[in-house]
Amino acid sequence: FSQIITDTIVSQKLKQDREFTVSLPESYAKNKTKKYPILVLLDGDYLLNPFQGALNYGAYWDDLPEVIIVGISQNKNDERYSDCTFDPETGLPEGEGENFFEFIGQELLPYIEKTYRIAPFKIITGHDITAGFLNFYLYKDQPIFNAYISLSPEFPSRMEEIIPQRLLALNQPIFYYQAMAEGDLKTTKEKITQLDSALAAIKKPNLNYLFDNFKGASHYSLVLNAIPNALYQF
């Protein structure tokens, strides 16, 4: 079975201690040289268990590779909202949102790479507001993540217009999955649909894109439908 470790990092960016959970694959302790892809979960408080279950099941049948999962805790004092703060005019992270963005790239990932055997393939995942936030990493000329799982995303200002521009401009291979549910809010579905139309029109060999629209699903049950589709796409 996977080994689950709860850890805390003293963040200079956030000016606080931030808890996170690491789920190591079954073979991690046995194979001392093997390196593993990393899956970073925003909203790790509730996304860890469903992702861990899907990955363990796939690995049991040798159908999915083993992955190190890092779930970031965001359930204290509505951290998920403050972590995702953005400027409504520019649509860019600001204040606590900017600090959280830098915390992941400049503090958490370096700590994980120093502590565990990480392969050079990084995935990031989020749900609704955190699913929108994860796209900010695509705004960089050299994104630190290779793959993105965006579940019922709520986009900051103009993000549904900016993402296609960024994916057209990037030269590195990118895996991108997004999903919405029939039970999502109308305004949310309109922006997701707009983004899907734009991404489906991009014909680049280095962009691996998949979109799911789950009929009869709610904003929450969508997660359990989408996880295996996203993992098997990647």
Side-chain angles (χ1 to χ4, degrees), residues 135 138 148 150 153 155 159-170 174-179 191-204 207-211 233:
N135 291 288
L138 289 171
Y148 302 76
S150 179
F155 295 128
M159 181 172 274
E160 68 276 12
E161 302 170 11
I162 297 174
I163 293 173
Q165 298 172 11
R166 295 301 309 142
L167 290 175
L168 276 170
L170 293 172
I174 295 291
F175 293 79
Y176 195 92
Y177 175 88
Q178 71 164 344
K191 291 186 176 183
I192 296 173
T193 301
Q194 179 182 339
L195 176 58
D196 173 56
S197 297
L199 296 187
I202 298 177
K203 306 302 179 184
K204 291 179 65 176
L207 175 61
N208 183 313
Y209 172 65
L210 180 65
F211 169 68
Q233 175 208 359

Side-chain angles (χ1 to χ4, degrees), residues 21 39 54 63 85 122 127-128 130 145 178 205 217 219:
T21 301
L39 169 62
D63 220 22
T85 303
K122 301 180 180 68
H127 181 219
D128 57 57
T130 61
F145 291 100
Q178 71 164 344
H219 179 69

Side-chain angles (χ1 to χ4, degrees), residues 14 16 79 82-85 94-101 133:
L14 299 176
Q16 61 173 264
E79 282 174 333
S82 58
D83 286 343
C84 297
T85 303
E94 71 167 2
E96 293 181 67
E98 183 177 5
N99 294 336
F100 183 67
F101 179 88
F133 184 86

